[in-house]
Amino acid sequence: MPESVVAITNLSRRFGAKAALNDVSLDVPRGSVFGLVGENGAGKSTLIKHILGLWRAETGAIRVFGVDPVADPVSVLSRVGYLSEQPDLPEWMTVIEFMRYMQAFYPKWDPLYAEELRRQFGLDRDKRIRVLSKGQRAKLGLLGAQAHRPDLLLLDEPSSGLDPIVRSDILAAVIRTVSEEGRTVFFSSHLLEEIERVSDHIAMLHQGKLVLCGPLDEIKAQYRRMTLRFETQQSTAPAVPGAVSVRGAGREWTIICNQAIKPIDGSHVIDDQAASLNDIFIGIAGGVHSLA
Amino acid sequence: MGCIPLRNLALIRDIWWRHRTLVCLLIGVTVFTSLLNVALPESVSMSADNPSGFDARDAVELLNFHLIIAALLLFLAICGYTEFNAQKGSIGFPHRLFTLPLSSFELVALPMFLGVAAAELLGLVWRTLIFGANLNVWGTMLIGVYVVVYQAVLWTLPALGSLRMLIHGVVGMVFIIALGLPSFPQETLPWWLREGFLMVWLLVVALSAFFGCWSFVAQQRSGGGLRRDWIRSVVERASDVAPRRRKDFNSAAAAHFWFEWRRSGFMLPLLVGAMLVAVIGPLSLGDDGGGTVRILIAVLAMPMVLAFPVGKAFSKPDLWSSDMSVPSFVAVRPISTDDLVETKMKVAAVSAAVSWLLVCAFIALWFGLWASLDGLNMIRLLLWAVYGHSMYPQYALVILSLAAAMLMTWRFLVSSLWLGLSGNRALFATTAIPYSLAPIFVLAFAILIPGNEDSILSWMYRGFGSVLPTLVRIAAIAVTSKLWIAAWSWRDINRVRVRQYLFLWICGTLVLVAFALVSWAGLRYIVPSDSDQLRSLLVLCALLVIPFARLGLAPGSLARNRHRL
């Protein structure tokens, strides 16, 4: 079993009455691209802030490279690259000043790689950050997070709100990072196609609870999407043992299940295929829905 | 047309709803002050029955002064009808109002009219109920025009951000000076400073501000225009002129020092330089020798006075942000909280040093080129007599004064770090409470003073000898407490760092002790008190000046903020 870069055990965090994270435990294997999915407010950003040491665990424990990120932030953060949804970059700096500033903090900063990324992203070195577009800022943030070749790259919804071209740039950079150097990426998004395309492991948060965690292939192989046709109209969603979600109306119902289900009396299967990540996500987050 | 008043009422309701707490506070302060001034003369009228009774007028005036400042600040906060525009990243006229079915003229004119009316009403209440003064046409006009200019600056210059405060300060000073102009004999003033012309001039200023503001808001409402781009481009060009970093940094500490300096360190030298050029310089040029000492005192006090408010902002994780949490850009950098605090302290030291360099350069130029030094020579003569007919103590006093003033400036910049870096807004706000309560304590002090003296100041002078032993005991307890708390607050900090700061603290404190001793050598002839106890008090105060315990608490405060402990 590969060594864990991030090990989270029974992590909980409350904000007032709301449980932002509820008894979350997960391990991020070294060299993996770990996708974290969940609806808005599921706790993805809170979890990433705990990994960065920006929040202390109320209960439970977090170890990043075997170290508590709150107790020893310098040793953890020097090995981590972080890009948030809205990069909080100092607008008064120029691109080159930003690169020089970042370089000073990371002994492993690779100036040639940084310059290559700058050119690749089309960033003018003398432009101030405040005049950069949202996409350019995201690229600059990614440059800052990547150019010291961190052991762990943390991306918190990096492509949210960006156009497809910028998004593909970011994805390409992530893939290159992993494929070329075998480092670890922890990546949160609610763009499921993106996660599905890039990740080899995923975890799913729903209302602060970890509802799914494991290798993507295993999860996709485990979940099925079946459509049942009933002989009579169903006014309410039929009770299907083993289903995580039942959606539909009238005589046709679509079921997402994580095991083979037994045929229900009065129905027959008209479609059976591997569930997509989107199906699984909507199934788990959405539960039972009647479209009638 | 019949619904226009209703639409206007909706805007008035919006303004009221946003500021209702402040309006209630303002009314509360005004009513409290009015009642106090009506009731207080009766309750402290012992002077009427007792011919030698003390006069508490000084204290009442001081209290009134603080309350009027509080009322003024509340009023300006209410008039500052602005909102953050996320799209433009600036604070200006509330853009959400652009969708209301009101013309741009109404959007601008109504809040301005309400502001002017409220200012006049407030001025009337303060003048008649509290100060018992007569109505003054000139003052009434000035107040109204100031409100128009104040709001126009807020709404038309959003690109300048916090720099608008500087403009408000300069405009405010001009208006305060203008307030006194009619008291001069009119025939001695040039025609353009006489009351009749000034009233026309005020009208022009008010109309220009209003029309400029109306035009700007209308442009913003229709998607902006040349004017907005012009201001932004000027600001951007000005910031582009600032020298850029051309070389790599040697270390993370050096990089963060640069970051902190560019973010907040330059602020104090900039303000000191601006005050020297815009205010002190012209004053000194117009001085014929009579005001040299006063101007010199103002120049020497200015960096410390400015360091106090700047220090409050400097102590926050980000000087320019109202959010007191550590910016995530800084929080995720691999740098320890101890290093972050040390960087702040170093930046504060450089900021204080550069500010004093500017002051010294100005004084050197002023004294060398255009100052009239007659008034200073009298003081030098007095010092020469007091210090045993020797010049050397004077030189020591000048050098030690400068060093002490520099240390005090640094102290004001860093003394609130432990509060500001904590990210605890409520705790940070409590630091203002002692200043707001001070007048009440002064009033209580005035009422409870034993003995019957002519005035508080004369009592303080004559009675200083009797309270000196108590002051010495209080200072001794404060010093002991400081050292105990320091030992506790520095317990978790790296030993090397403790030794380094202890060395600096001892050096700085020795300078202050030397300053206290040299000052004592002269003061003992002036202040009627026990000479040894006076020396003890001065030395103990010198030990209290440079923060020790509080700085030991700063890394812990920052760590709690950074990790949301």
Side-chain angles (χ1 to χ4, degrees), chain B residues 51-70:
Chain B
S52 56
F54 79 94
D55 184 356
R57 278 174 303 177
D58 289 346
V60 174
E61 279 175 14
L62 190 64
L63 181 68
N64 281 340
F65 173 74
H66 277 78
L67 287 169
I68 200 171
I69 292 293

Side-chain angles (χ1 to χ4, degrees), chain B residues 304 356 397-411 508 511-512 515-516 545:
Chain B
M304 289 179 281
W356 277 98
L397 202 59
V398 169
I399 293 166
L400 289 170
S401 301
L402 282 174
M406 211 179 290
L407 286 168
M408 287 290 283
T409 308
W410 179 77
R411 177 214 184 274
V511 170
L512 291 168
F515 175 61
V545 169

Side-chain angles (χ1 to χ4, degrees), chain B residues 415-438:
Chain B
S415 61
S416 294
L417 282 178
W418 69 289
L419 284 170
L421 294 178
S422 72
N424 187 329
R425 187 177 294 279
L427 189 66
F428 189 64
T430 55
T431 56
I433 289 176
Y435 302 101
S436 55
L437 292 181

Side-chain angles (χ1 to χ4, degrees), chain A residues 149-191:
Chain A
R149 300 185 192 279
D151 294 327
L152 171 63
L153 184 60
L154 277 172
L155 305 171
D156 184 6
E157 308 241 13
S159 50
S160 170
L162 301 180
D163 63 62
I165 297 169
V166 177
R167 218 151 63 201
S168 85
D169 275 350
I170 288 179
L171 281 181
V174 170
I175 292 164
R176 190 181 315 126
T177 304
V178 175
S179 62
E180 289 179 3
E181 297 169 18
R183 288 181 281 117
T184 311
V185 178
F186 190 93
F187 178 38
S188 88
S189 179
H190 55 249
L191 299 173

Side-chain angles (χ1 to χ4, degrees), chain B residues 114-394:
Chain B
L114 289 175
V116 172
E120 297 299 352
L121 182 67
L122 196 67
L124 181 73
V125 170
W126 277 86
R127 271 197 303 267
T128 52
L129 293 182
I130 296 165
F131 295 119
N134 293 325
L135 278 176
N136 173 320
V137 178
W138 175 245
T140 309
M141 267 194 85
L142 268 182
I143 290 173
V145 175
Y146 180 74
V147 171
V148 172
V149 173
Y150 173 77
Q151 291 187 315
V153 168
L154 280 180
W155 293 340
T156 51
L157 301 171
L160 293 186
S162 304
L163 284 178
R164 283 176 294 186
M165 287 179 70
L166 205 63
I167 296 174
H168 288 318
V170 172
V171 171
M173 275 195 287
V174 170
F175 273 72
I176 287 169
I177 292 166
L179 192 63
L181 283 176
S183 63
F184 287 92
Q186 293 292 299
E187 58 278 8
T188 62
L189 293 171
W191 63 271
W192 49 274
L193 277 180
R194 291 182 187 169
E195 194 169 345
F197 184 82
L198 284 177
M199 284 192 177
V200 176
W201 177 235
L202 269 186
L203 204 63
V204 171
V205 168
L207 288 173
S208 308
F210 172 74
F211 283 112
C213 188
W214 173 24
S215 157
F216 180 79
V217 169
Q219 277 181 343
Q220 291 285 298
R221 201 178 190 188
S222 56
L226 290 172
R227 187 168 180 161
R228 179 207 59 183
D229 294 335
W230 176 77
I231 291 172
R232 187 166 287 280
S233 69
V234 166
V235 172
E236 285 171 4
R237 278 183 195 177
S239 65
D240 285 347
V241 170
R244 293 181 184 183
R245 183 75 194 181
R246 302 283 176 200
K247 293 190 298 183
D248 291 344
F249 297 101
N250 293 328
S251 63
H256 196 64
F257 180 93
W258 171 81
F259 178 90
E260 196 64 57
W261 173 262
R262 288 294 299 264
R263 199 74 191 131
S264 54
F266 74 96
M267 196 62 196
L268 183 64
L270 182 74
L271 285 175
V272 167
M275 288 292 285
L276 288 172
V277 171
V279 180
I280 305 287
L283 277 177
S284 66
L285 282 168
D287 177 48
D288 58 359
T292 307
V293 175
R294 270 177 293 180
I295 293 171
L296 181 63
I297 290 170
V299 170
L300 295 175
M302 184 181 56
M304 289 179 281
V305 172
L306 289 174
F308 184 73
V310 170
K312 288 286 172 200
F314 180 81
S315 66
K316 294 188 299 175
D318 182 359
L319 184 138
W320 299 101
S321 173
S322 56
D323 182 1
M324 291 189 66
S325 55
V326 183
S328 64
F329 179 75
V330 174
V332 299
R333 298 281 85 80
I335 182 168
S336 70
T337 49
D338 289 2
D339 286 332
L340 288 171
V341 173
E342 185 182 315
T343 304
K344 278 245 177 209
M345 289 163 63
K346 284 180 180 170
V347 168
V350 174
S351 189
V354 174
S355 301
W356 277 98
L357 205 62
L358 291 173
V359 167
C360 291
F362 173 80
I363 292 175
L365 282 175
W366 178 35
F367 282 10
L369 296 178
W370 68 88
S372 169
L373 301 175
D374 295 344
L376 280 180
N377 286 335
M378 288 298 290
I379 293 174
R380 289 187 66 187
L381 200 64
L382 180 70
L383 289 174
W384 179 76
V386 167
Y387 283 102
H389 298 182
S390 168
M391 294 300 290
Y392 293 113
Q394 287 188 36

Side-chain angles (χ1 to χ4, degrees), chain A residues 100-162:
Chain A
R100 286 189 172 125
Y101 177 79
M102 296 291 282
Q103 182 177 357
F105 285 90
Y106 302 100
K108 286 163 67 180
W109 182 272
D110 183 344
L112 294 177
Y113 181 43
E115 187 58 22
E116 181 195 323
L117 283 173
R118 186 189 68 74
R119 287 205 185 115
Q120 185 189 335
F121 291 157
L123 298 168
D124 183 341
R125 52 188 281 143
D126 292 324
K127 272 206 169 154
R128 294 210 183 260
I129 292 173
R130 70 164 166 262
V131 301
L132 299 182
S133 67
K134 190 177 176 187
Q136 286 174 318
R137 287 180 196 212
K139 288 175 176 175
L140 184 62
L142 187 63
L143 184 157
Q146 277 228 91
H148 61 286
R149 300 185 192 279
D151 294 327
L152 171 63
L153 184 60
L154 277 172
L155 305 171
D156 184 6
E157 308 241 13
S159 50
S160 170
L162 301 180

Side-chain angles (χ1 to χ4, degrees), chain B residues 481-536:
Chain B
S481 308
K482 173 180 178 151
L483 295 177
W484 273 107
I485 297 170
W488 175 79
S489 68
W490 284 80
R491 71 194 186 286
D492 292 332
I493 296 173
N494 181 291
R495 297 281 167 231
V496 177
R497 218 180 283 269
V498 175
R499 278 197 291 272
Q500 283 173 346
Y501 185 67
L502 188 61
F503 174 73
L504 292 173
W505 185 83
I506 289 171
C507 292
T509 302
L510 282 176
V511 170
L512 291 168
V513 168
F515 175 61
L517 291 174
V518 174
S519 304
W520 166 79
L523 281 174
R524 61 182 169 162
Y525 298 115
I526 302 168
V527 180
S529 61
D530 180 293
S531 173
D532 289 340
Q533 290 209 326
L534 179 65
R535 184 181 54 198
S536 302

